Amino acid sequence: MTLMEQARAGTVTAEMRRVAEREGVDPEFVRRGIARGTMVIPRNRLRQKLEPVGIGEGLRVKVNASVGTSRERADIAGELEKVRVAAQAGTDTIMDLSTWGELDLVRREVLAAAPVPVGTLPVYQAVAEAIACHGTPAAMSAEGLFETVERHAADGVDFLAVHAATCRETIQRARGSGRIDHLVSYGGSYLMGWMIATGRENPFFEQYDRLLEIAREYEVTLGLADTYRPGCLADSLDRLQVAEMVILGELVQRAREGGVQVMVKGPGHVPVDEVSATVRLEKRLCAGAPYFVFGPVVTDAAPGYDHITSAIGGAIAGASGADFICYVTPAEHLGYPTAVDVREGVMAARIAARWGDLARGLGDGKSAK
Amino acid sequence: MTQMMAAREGRVTPEMTHVARDEKVPVEVILEGVARGTIIIPHSGGRSKATRAVGIGRGLRTKVNASVGASSEGSDAGGEIDKLRVAISAGADTIMELSSGGDLDFLRRQVLEIAPVPVGTVPIYQAALEAIEQRGSIVDMTPEDMFEVIERQGADGVDFMAIHCALSLEVVARLRQQGRVADIVSRGGAFLTAWMLHHERENPLYEQFDRVLEIAKRHDVTLSIGDAIRPGCIADSLDRAQVQGLLLVGELVERAREAGVQVMVEGPGHVPVPQIEATVLLEKQVCKGAPYFVLGTLVTDIAPGYDHITAAIGGTIAATAGADFICYVTPAEHLGLPSAQDVREGVIAARIAAHAADLAKGVKGAWAWDLAMARARKALDWEAQFRLAMDPDKPRRLRAERSPGGSDACSMCGPHCAMKLISEYLGRKEIETC
């Protein structure tokens, strides 16, 4: 039985009780949230010792810090230092978004080092391996993609970000959409490139049930990622973004039917007066699924200070109902972040989350943290 | 003659013309706003150096103030002048000189000499300091001392002054009855309250408000009616004492306007999320659309060291709700005197808040800036990105440090580059690299 199925059967599990205790809420409230899918507790079945973290409606707004090796910097020790700094600064979760280097090793080291739930984006590894083995990401296969997902789940990853809604229908729509900045999602771009090169449907979309099976087996929470998150203010809430959100809503429903915990990833670059509408739209279309937002940054014009532009957007998003804020560091748009940037990014996101908590009426310090 | 009096006569001043050009709005909009008092142009005629006329108020770009000032503990005049230059280069629209130590006349005149933007002061600081020096304590300050300093600063050409006129015995009584957590955090407000309680007398700046108006009118000093009892923690926000003070401000705003004196209102402070919009709307209503100058606002009390960020969040919401003018908060707030670097961070954070709000309010030109940046980013035109950046230096430095290769060409995927495939599919001429 998955956690969601247990909740539906009326069982208050140990992790639900622990989350309730940390949040200062009734365990029954957590059980109901998990059963409905308005709350998730991302914890891989293999990681029973991990302190559970609840994300969703009625709980404190959570913060994620991302680390990862890249072609420019494949130094594992440096990334582990960032994991340590992020945890010390109070991040609630860590994502390992490594795109280059010894990816299996980095992931396993991050999982061993992080005292909080860990998420990954398996398509990065599938792309890196296709390039390493065949010289091109077009050589990526559906089998390879699922094999990578399974490998991550079997290592104990707690939540997986997958661009499952990027289907042929949406890429048709991308043509002539008049966007300024077409694609800023790295994983989404590769999937879309692969779809164009091979003429095939996105395997995560086409074989979504297979994804759900893996998620069930390992109790992995799915983070349904959006390929068309806006990369500049002008593209926010355009037809492409909304069209994808409609499909995301359908996939949320299917995940829940399969007893799989699921959250939805979002923005990006969003002007102040569109932040609340974006969150409300997600809550409506995705039936209250926890919303995991990147930033959002509220102006394109302040590179070097995007931890601040995103603290503003994250605060408004949190107050409007977003549940989980992915940090943005001062190095965003410019290069890789240092450990100091990571600390600044986590602190800024936590301030935004705190604002969200106050707006939710959770500001009375009841949290047991 | 003040800008307001000129506007009421239908006379367009060079300052109004400049502001109209700067804001890309018809000069009639400025003329009407200044006449009504919904727009102010703090511009004293008394400064020797030509300064930029800056319009503040409804329909205009949200402005940002940076405060500098020496204190009795440490900071020297040279250091403060340095901060002034940093604040100007970071894009502050106005400067407030808030010294509470050192040679105050000298430093103020230096700031007025150097700053190419409107300069504001809080005269009560100097009156209090001189009372300590000459009479031994703040409570020995006489009403004459207060007015003499206001006059002296006005004659020097100060463009706007924060004066705590809206503090009365009635407000103090309400404050006592309220039972606040943080009582009074405004330094000027605290000085005056101590004086009032000691002498059991009404606040001279309230009692003799006409005298304040007379000086303001003579030098065309814009009044910033200081919020002497702004909330010092989120628990004190929008309490009965604050609201009582605001009602008094509203009455004084009307009297200032009747006298042809330009006036704005100074506000929060620490304000929790659900109260920011209400605070701004209340000010706009009670003070009949007078420009609202807000400190921060800070949205949580628990992030010292990062209050430029808490203030940027609150400032965005406040300005979106209608606040016109944001006083910056630096990372050193609540902890000590800011360094020049703190001043830069504070100005940029406040400018981000102001600009984010301007985008939401649809202020002219705001969207064009972001669009230009988005296009530069898409085209991977780094020089254009740096040029367009709110602070060009920091991104240039970060890019150099954090992306040492710096190459835009991508050799990872060869002929099957996903970006190239997507670009071709989407029918775009340029190749979009990753």
Side-chain angles (χ1 to χ4, degrees):
Chain A
M1 257 198 185
T2 65
L3 193 71
M4 194 174 206
E5 287 164 342
Q6 287 174 289
R8 285 192 191 140
T11 311
V12 176
T13 65
E15 51 268 67
M16 294 177 208
R17 242 193 315 279
R18 180 63 188 136
V19 164
E21 194 186 321
R22 291 182 77 188
E23 302 273 347
V25 298
D26 184 9
E28 175 58 20
F29 174 71
V30 176
R31 185 201 63 76
R32 248 192 344 257
I34 300 290
R36 285 185 187 152
T38 56
M39 245 180 238
V40 294
I41 301 178
R43 189 172 72 162
N44 190 303
R45 208 182 288 290
L46 305 172
R47 302 231 294 162
Q48 292 300 317
K49 281 189 190 140
L50 180 73
E51 181 74 29
V53 173
I55 300 166
E57 198 180 307
L59 304 181
R60 272 191 312 108
V61 177
K62 302 305 184 298
V63 165
N64 175 71
S66 301
V67 300
T69 53
S70 63
R71 247 187 321 153
E72 285 170 328
R73 274 175 81 83
D75 162 33
I76 297 181
E79 296 311 305
L80 292 177
E81 169 65 6
K82 290 180 199 169
V83 168
R84 203 185 57 76
V85 167
Q88 194 187 42
T91 193
D92 296 291
T93 66
I94 299 273
M95 285 191 83
D96 167 28
L97 301 185
S98 295
T99 55
W100 205 250
E102 292 180 77
L103 299 182
D104 285 332
L105 180 65
V106 181
R107 182 175 60 257
R108 286 160 196 166
E109 294 274 341
V110 169
L111 277 163
V116 293
V118 170
T120 59
L121 235 155
V123 76
Y124 290 180
Q125 183 163 18
V127 166
E129 288 177 355
I131 293 169
C133 298
H134 306 287
T136 165
M140 199 163 57
S141 68
E143 283 311 307
L145 273 175
F146 282 105
E147 188 274 323
T148 311
V149 169
E150 174 112 33
R151 208 186 322 159
H152 283 225
D155 276 351
V157 169
D158 303 294
F159 60 105
L160 291 173
V162 279
H163 299 83
T166 310
C167 56
R168 301 207 66 86
E169 184 192 333
T170 63
I171 66 173
Q172 285 289 348
R173 199 170 249 125
R175 262 183 157 154
S177 66
R179 271 204 161 190
I180 306 278
D181 208 345
H182 274 100
L183 287 177
V184 292
S185 157
Y186 181 83
S189 301
Y190 273 106
L191 265 178
M192 189 165 158
W194 182 88
M195 289 160 72
I196 294 166
T198 62
R200 291 185 51 188
E201 184 54 283
N202 174 3
F204 290 138
F205 180 75
E206 202 172 31
Q207 303 179 56
Y208 186 60
D209 288 335
R210 198 168 160 190
L211 200 59
L212 294 182
E213 251 169 61
I214 299 172
R216 278 183 65 88
E217 186 180 346
Y218 294 96
E219 187 60 61
V220 171
T221 299
L222 291 184
L224 295 179
D226 57 339
T227 291
Y228 300 106
R229 71 175 144 86
C232 65
L233 297 196
D235 291 340
S236 166
L237 272 187
D238 69 352
R239 292 195 303 273
L240 259 182
Q241 187 192 350
V242 177
E244 187 179 38
M245 207 190 275
V246 170
I247 297 167
L248 286 166
E250 292 166 358
L251 298 179
V252 164
Q253 196 178 325
R254 284 172 62 190
R256 286 177 179 173
E257 284 163 8
V260 169
Q261 298 195 93
V262 62
M263 57 187 162
V264 174
K265 285 186 82 176
H269 294 231
V270 185
V272 166
D273 56 329
E274 289 180 17
V275 173
S276 178
T278 303
V279 174
R280 280 164 217 273
L281 195 63
E282 184 275 345
K283 288 288 175 181
R284 180 77 186 97
L285 294 176
C286 302
Y291 204 17
F292 180 19
V293 295
F294 184 63
V297 308
V298 293
T299 170
D300 302 330
Y305 297 86
D306 278 326
H307 59 311
I308 298 179
T309 66
S310 66
I312 296 170
I316 302 172
S320 308
D323 308 283
F324 191 16
I325 295 173
C326 186
Y327 86 160
V328 172
T329 77
E332 182 71 23
H333 297 115
L334 300 168
Y336 64 83
T338 61
V340 173
D341 294 332
V342 167
R343 163 170 280 277
E344 292 283 313
V346 171
M347 289 310 299
R350 283 188 61 203
I351 290 168
R354 166 83 178 161
W355 160 291
D357 291 344
L358 290 169
R360 290 169 178 220
L362 300 175
D364 50 5
K366 268 194 297 192
S367 160
K369 191 172 173 180
Chain B
M1 183 183 278
T2 67
Q3 296 284 336
M4 190 175 211
M5 291 156 78
R8 286 192 183 148
E9 288 178 5
R11 202 161 59 75
V12 174
T13 64
E15 290 75 28
M16 293 177 206
T17 308
H18 179 90
V19 168
R21 206 180 316 129
D22 193 33
E23 303 275 350
K24 300 177 185 69
V25 299
V27 75
E28 293 72 34
V29 172
I30 306 298
L31 187 77
E32 196 193 327
V34 173
R36 283 189 179 180
T38 56
I39 291 175
I40 51 169
I41 304 178
H43 184 88
S44 162
R47 292 178 62 180
S48 57
K49 193 178 165 189
T51 55
R52 204 184 301 156
V54 173
I56 299 167
R58 184 184 293 164
L60 306 184
R61 192 168 57 76
T62 305
K63 303 303 185 297
V64 164
N65 175 73
S67 302
V68 300
S71 80
S72 43
E73 313 130 25
S75 180
D76 52 34
E80 294 310 307
I81 295 300
D82 202 35
K83 289 180 202 170
L84 164 68
R85 293 188 202 279
V86 167
I88 298 296
S89 88
D93 295 293
T94 66
I95 294 290
M96 284 191 87
E97 198 284 293
L98 303 184
S99 290
S100 60
D103 184 344
L104 298 188
D105 284 332
F106 173 75
L107 188 57
R108 181 176 60 256
R109 286 163 193 161
Q110 283 277 102
V111 169
L112 284 166
E113 185 61 36
I114 292 165
V117 297
V119 170
T121 58
V122 186
I124 194 76
Y125 292 174
Q126 184 165 16
L129 197 77
E130 289 179 355
I132 294 171
E133 280 168 4
Q134 292 158 20
R135 306 180 198 276
S137 88
I138 286 177
V139 292
D140 292 326
M141 176 168 60
T142 68
E144 285 312 308
D145 291 343
M146 301 182 201
F147 287 105
E148 192 275 319
V149 171
I150 294 173
E151 170 62 37
R152 201 188 321 158
Q153 297 197 354
D156 276 353
V158 168
D159 301 295
F160 62 103
M161 289 185 194
I163 305 187
H164 303 87
C165 303
L167 181 66
S168 66
L169 288 170
E170 187 192 359
V171 172
V172 173
R174 285 242 147 75
L175 182 75
R176 268 187 163 168
Q177 199 268 342
Q178 175 84 48
R180 271 195 172 183
V181 177
D183 293 322
I184 297 179
V185 293
S186 153
R187 198 160 32 151
F191 290 163
L192 275 171
T193 305
W195 189 92
M196 290 158 70
L197 294 174
H198 180 81
H199 296 284
E200 294 178 359
R201 271 187 63 183
E202 189 52 278
N203 172 9
L205 301 172
Y206 172 64
E207 207 171 36
Q208 302 179 54
F209 185 58
D210 286 335
R211 204 167 157 191
V212 175
L213 290 178
E214 199 184 293
I215 300 172
K217 193 167 164 179
R218 187 149 13 95
H219 302 289
D220 196 2
V221 174
T222 299
L223 291 184
S224 176
I225 301 198
D227 187 355
I229 50 167
R230 63 181 150 82
C233 65
I234 60 176
D236 290 341
S237 167
L238 216 51
D239 66 356
R240 293 190 300 270
Q242 187 192 343
V243 173
Q244 182 69 39
L246 190 62
L247 293 176
L248 211 54
V249 173
E251 291 165 11
L252 299 183
V253 162
E254 273 195 73
R255 283 171 62 188
R257 285 177 176 175
E258 280 163 21
V261 168
Q262 299 194 91
V263 61
M264 64 179 145
V265 177
E266 210 166 315
H270 296 235
V271 185
V273 189
Q275 290 175 16
I276 295 182
E277 196 182 0
T279 301
V280 175
L281 295 183
L282 194 63
E283 183 278 342
K284 288 288 174 185
Q285 184 62 25
V286 168
C287 303
K288 305 212 164 151
Y292 203 17
F293 180 23
V294 295
L295 174 70
T297 64
L298 285 67
V299 298
T300 171
D301 301 332
I302 60 161
Y306 295 87
D307 276 328
H308 60 311
I309 296 179
T310 69
I313 296 172
T316 303
I317 308 292
T320 302
D324 308 281
F325 191 18
I326 295 175
C327 186
Y328 86 160
V329 172
T330 76
E333 182 75 20
H334 297 113
L335 302 170
L337 267 188
S339 66
Q341 180 56 31
D342 293 331
V343 167
R344 170 169 287 274
E345 293 279 325
V347 170
I348 298 290
R351 284 185 65 205
I352 288 169
H355 178 63
D358 286 347
L359 290 165
K361 287 195 280 196
V363 169
K364 268 220 159 112
W367 271 91
W369 186 5
D370 286 60
L371 215 47
M373 177 62 89
R375 294 205 162 105
R377 221 165 240 166
K378 184 75 226 161
L380 292 167
D381 182 344
W382 286 100
E383 276 311 310
Q385 288 180 53
F386 298 145
R387 196 176 60 244
L388 287 162
M390 198 171 276
D391 173 4
D393 298 342
K394 189 177 179 189
R396 192 184 290 279
R397 179 170 52 77
L398 288 182
R399 171 79 182 157
E401 286 171 13
R402 312 297 165 71
S403 200
S407 165
D408 295 331
C410 179
S411 56
M412 197 157 88
C413 314
H416 297 103
C417 163
M419 300 300 162
K420 187 170 168 231
L421 288 168
I422 293 167
S423 296
E424 286 166 3
Y425 180 81
L426 296 172
R428 292 173 75 94
K429 287 193 183 69
E430 77 271 31
I431 292 170
E432 301 173 356
T433 53
C434 49

mmCIF file of all heavy atoms in Angstrom, chain B residues 115-139:
data_model
loop_
_atom_site.group_PDB
_atom_site.id
_atom_site.type_symbol
_atom_site.label_atom_id
_atom_site.label_comp_id
_atom_site.label_asym_id
_atom_site.label_seq_id
_atom_site.Cartn_x
_atom_site.Cartn_y
_atom_site.Cartn_z
ATOM 1 N N ALA B 115 24.809 66.085 -3.575
ATOM 2 C CA ALA B 115 23.714 65.244 -4.079
ATOM 3 C C ALA B 115 23.006 65.908 -5.259
ATOM 4 O O ALA B 115 22.524 67.038 -5.137
ATOM 5 C CB ALA B 115 22.718 64.965 -2.959
ATOM 6 N N PRO B 116 22.917 65.220 -6.394
ATOM 7 C CA PRO B 116 22.225 65.794 -7.552
ATOM 8 C C PRO B 116 20.722 65.558 -7.507
ATOM 9 O O PRO B 116 20.029 65.783 -8.492
ATOM 10 C CB PRO B 116 22.873 65.038 -8.719
ATOM 11 C CG PRO B 116 23.219 63.708 -8.142
ATOM 12 C CD PRO B 116 23.520 63.918 -6.680
ATOM 13 N N VAL B 117 20.239 65.076 -6.368
ATOM 14 C CA VAL B 117 18.819 64.714 -6.236
ATOM 15 C C VAL B 117 18.234 65.451 -5.026
ATOM 16 O O VAL B 117 18.982 66.016 -4.223
ATOM 17 C CB VAL B 117 18.661 63.188 -6.028
ATOM 18 C CG1 VAL B 117 19.175 62.409 -7.225
ATOM 19 C CG2 VAL B 117 19.375 62.728 -4.757
ATOM 20 N N PRO B 118 16.903 65.419 -4.867
ATOM 21 C CA PRO B 118 16.307 66.062 -3.704
ATOM 22 C C PRO B 118 16.866 65.501 -2.398
ATOM 23 O O PRO B 118 17.123 64.299 -2.305
ATOM 24 C CB PRO B 118 14.815 65.736 -3.839
ATOM 25 C CG PRO B 118 14.615 65.504 -5.294
ATOM 26 C CD PRO B 118 15.884 64.880 -5.788
ATOM 27 N N VAL B 119 17.049 66.385 -1.429
ATOM 28 C CA VAL B 119 17.596 65.982 -0.130
ATOM 29 C C VAL B 119 16.580 66.284 0.969
ATOM 30 O O VAL B 119 15.983 67.364 0.998
ATOM 31 C CB VAL B 119 18.917 66.726 0.163
ATOM 32 C CG1 VAL B 119 19.360 66.511 1.620
ATOM 33 C CG2 VAL B 119 20.017 66.271 -0.794
ATOM 34 N N GLY B 120 16.395 65.319 1.849
ATOM 35 C CA GLY B 120 15.496 65.503 2.983
ATOM 36 C C GLY B 120 16.239 65.410 4.310
ATOM 37 O O GLY B 120 17.334 64.842 4.371
ATOM 38 N N THR B 121 15.645 65.950 5.359
ATOM 39 C CA THR B 121 16.244 65.880 6.697
ATOM 40 C C THR B 121 15.151 65.651 7.739
ATOM 41 O O THR B 121 13.957 65.724 7.422
ATOM 42 C CB THR B 121 16.955 67.198 7.074
ATOM 43 O OG1 THR B 121 15.998 68.271 6.997
ATOM 44 C CG2 THR B 121 18.125 67.495 6.147
ATOM 45 N N VAL B 122 15.592 65.385 8.966
ATOM 46 C CA VAL B 122 14.677 65.325 10.112
ATOM 47 C C VAL B 122 15.204 66.337 11.137
ATOM 48 O O VAL B 122 16.069 66.015 11.949
ATOM 49 C CB VAL B 122 14.634 63.908 10.732
ATOM 50 C CG1 VAL B 122 13.570 63.849 11.827
ATOM 51 C CG2 VAL B 122 14.336 62.863 9.670
ATOM 52 N N PRO B 123 14.713 67.577 11.089
ATOM 53 C CA PRO B 123 15.307 68.651 11.896
ATOM 54 C C PRO B 123 15.339 68.375 13.400
ATOM 55 O O PRO B 123 16.240 68.844 14.085
ATOM 56 C CB PRO B 123 14.408 69.858 11.601
ATOM 57 C CG PRO B 123 13.740 69.542 10.314
ATOM 58 C CD PRO B 123 13.613 68.061 10.248
ATOM 59 N N ILE B 124 14.395 67.591 13.905
ATOM 60 C CA ILE B 124 14.350 67.367 15.349
ATOM 61 C C ILE B 124 15.631 66.697 15.848
ATOM 62 O O ILE B 124 16.034 66.890 16.996
ATOM 63 C CB ILE B 124 13.094 66.544 15.758
ATOM 64 C CG1 ILE B 124 12.846 66.606 17.270
ATOM 65 C CG2 ILE B 124 13.213 65.106 15.332
ATOM 66 C CD1 ILE B 124 12.260 67.895 17.740
ATOM 67 N N TYR B 125 16.315 65.920 14.991
ATOM 68 C CA TYR B 125 17.565 65.284 15.413
ATOM 69 C C TYR B 125 18.576 66.356 15.820
ATOM 70 O O TYR B 125 19.225 66.270 16.840
ATOM 71 C CB TYR B 125 18.188 64.441 14.295
ATOM 72 C CG TYR B 125 17.428 63.207 13.900
ATOM 73 C CD1 TYR B 125 17.857 62.443 12.816
ATOM 74 C CD2 TYR B 125 16.304 62.787 14.592
ATOM 75 C CE1 TYR B 125 17.179 61.302 12.438
ATOM 76 C CE2 TYR B 125 15.618 61.647 14.214
ATOM 77 C CZ TYR B 125 16.065 60.914 13.132
ATOM 78 O OH TYR B 125 15.397 59.786 12.745
ATOM 79 N N GLN B 126 18.683 67.362 14.962
ATOM 80 C CA GLN B 126 19.659 68.415 15.234
ATOM 81 C C GLN B 126 19.231 69.251 16.456
ATOM 82 O O GLN B 126 20.056 69.588 17.300
ATOM 83 C CB GLN B 126 19.828 69.322 14.009
ATOM 84 C CG GLN B 126 20.913 70.371 14.235
ATOM 85 C CD GLN B 126 21.370 71.056 12.956
ATOM 86 O OE1 GLN B 126 20.691 70.979 11.924
ATOM 87 N NE2 GLN B 126 22.513 71.709 13.004
ATOM 88 N N ALA B 127 17.935 69.532 16.536
ATOM 89 C CA ALA B 127 17.443 70.316 17.670
ATOM 90 C C ALA B 127 17.741 69.580 18.981
ATOM 91 O O ALA B 127 18.181 70.182 19.961
ATOM 92 C CB ALA B 127 15.952 70.574 17.520
ATOM 93 N N ALA B 128 17.536 68.269 18.958
ATOM 94 C CA ALA B 128 17.772 67.472 20.167
ATOM 95 C C ALA B 128 19.261 67.449 20.516
ATOM 96 O O ALA B 128 19.643 67.608 21.676
ATOM 97 C CB ALA B 128 17.248 66.051 19.962
ATOM 98 N N LEU B 129 20.080 67.255 19.488
ATOM 99 C CA LEU B 129 21.523 67.182 19.727
ATOM 100 C C LEU B 129 22.055 68.506 20.275
ATOM 101 O O LEU B 129 22.861 68.542 21.211
ATOM 102 C CB LEU B 129 22.241 66.837 18.419
ATOM 103 C CG LEU B 129 23.672 66.348 18.614
ATOM 104 C CD1 LEU B 129 23.673 64.904 19.078
ATOM 105 C CD2 LEU B 129 24.463 66.491 17.319
ATOM 106 N N GLU B 130 21.583 69.586 19.703
ATOM 107 C CA GLU B 130 22.045 70.893 20.161
ATOM 108 C C GLU B 130 21.533 71.194 21.573
ATOM 109 O O GLU B 130 22.204 71.858 22.362
ATOM 110 C CB GLU B 130 21.618 71.976 19.162
ATOM 111 C CG GLU B 130 22.417 71.861 17.863
ATOM 112 C CD GLU B 130 22.052 72.889 16.802
ATOM 113 O OE1 GLU B 130 21.099 73.666 17.010
ATOM 114 O OE2 GLU B 130 22.720 72.891 15.760
ATOM 115 N N ALA B 131 20.361 70.689 21.894
ATOM 116 C CA ALA B 131 19.835 70.868 23.250
ATOM 117 C C ALA B 131 20.720 70.142 24.256
ATOM 118 O O ALA B 131 21.020 70.657 25.336
ATOM 119 C CB ALA B 131 18.400 70.355 23.341
ATOM 120 N N ILE B 132 21.171 68.938 23.868
ATOM 121 C CA ILE B 132 22.065 68.192 24.771
ATOM 122 C C ILE B 132 23.373 68.966 24.952
ATOM 123 O O ILE B 132 23.865 69.140 26.069
ATOM 124 C CB ILE B 132 22.341 66.769 24.211
ATOM 125 C CG1 ILE B 132 21.047 65.954 24.206
ATOM 126 C CG2 ILE B 132 23.418 66.065 25.034
ATOM 127 C CD1 ILE B 132 21.151 64.627 23.475
ATOM 128 N N GLU B 133 23.900 69.446 23.819
ATOM 129 C CA GLU B 133 25.182 70.160 23.878
ATOM 130 C C GLU B 133 25.069 71.467 24.675
ATOM 131 O O GLU B 133 25.929 71.788 25.487
ATOM 132 C CB GLU B 133 25.661 70.502 22.460
ATOM 133 C CG GLU B 133 26.321 69.325 21.757
ATOM 134 C CD GLU B 133 26.520 69.581 20.267
ATOM 135 O OE1 GLU B 133 26.212 70.699 19.808
ATOM 136 O OE2 GLU B 133 26.965 68.651 19.581
ATOM 137 N N GLN B 134 24.011 72.226 24.412
ATOM 138 C CA GLN B 134 23.923 73.567 24.979
ATOM 139 C C GLN B 134 23.185 73.636 26.309
ATOM 140 O O GLN B 134 23.447 74.512 27.124
ATOM 141 C CB GLN B 134 23.260 74.508 23.969
ATOM 142 C CG GLN B 134 24.153 74.754 22.749
ATOM 143 C CD GLN B 134 23.357 75.219 21.538
ATOM 144 O OE1 GLN B 134 22.232 75.698 21.679
ATOM 145 N NE2 GLN B 134 23.935 75.065 20.357
ATOM 146 N N ARG B 135 22.240 72.705 26.476
ATOM 147 C CA ARG B 135 21.420 72.813 27.690
ATOM 148 C C ARG B 135 21.515 71.588 28.592
ATOM 149 O O ARG B 135 20.917 71.549 29.657
ATOM 150 C CB ARG B 135 19.953 73.050 27.312
ATOM 151 C CG ARG B 135 19.747 74.248 26.394
ATOM 152 C CD ARG B 135 18.274 74.419 26.063
ATOM 153 N NE ARG B 135 18.082 75.253 24.893
ATOM 154 C CZ ARG B 135 18.055 76.584 24.920
ATOM 155 N NH1 ARG B 135 18.223 77.226 26.047
ATOM 156 N NH2 ARG B 135 17.871 77.270 23.801
ATOM 157 N N GLY B 136 22.192 70.577 28.086
ATOM 158 C CA GLY B 136 22.431 69.428 28.952
ATOM 159 C C GLY B 136 21.491 68.253 28.757
ATOM 160 O O GLY B 136 21.831 67.136 29.109
ATOM 161 N N SER B 137 20.291 68.481 28.201
ATOM 162 C CA SER B 137 19.427 67.324 27.962
ATOM 163 C C SER B 137 18.356 67.646 26.914
ATOM 164 O O SER B 137 18.064 68.821 26.651
ATOM 165 C CB SER B 137 18.750 66.878 29.265
ATOM 166 O OG SER B 137 17.548 67.590 29.444
ATOM 167 N N ILE B 138 17.801 66.583 26.362
ATOM 168 C CA ILE B 138 16.798 66.737 25.303
ATOM 169 C C ILE B 138 15.565 67.469 25.813
ATOM 170 O O ILE B 138 15.004 68.317 25.127
ATOM 171 C CB ILE B 138 16.404 65.350 24.740
ATOM 172 C CG1 ILE B 138 17.539 64.811 23.858
ATOM 173 C CG2 ILE B 138 15.119 65.446 23.915
ATOM 174 C CD1 ILE B 138 17.290 63.443 23.306
ATOM 175 N N VAL B 139 15.163 67.155 27.048
ATOM 176 C CA VAL B 139 13.919 67.763 27.542
ATOM 177 C C VAL B 139 14.079 69.272 27.783
ATOM 178 O O VAL B 139 13.091 69.976 27.919
ATOM 179 C CB VAL B 139 13.386 67.067 28.819
ATOM 180 C CG1 VAL B 139 12.919 65.668 28.502
ATOM 181 C CG2 VAL B 139 14.414 67.087 29.914
#
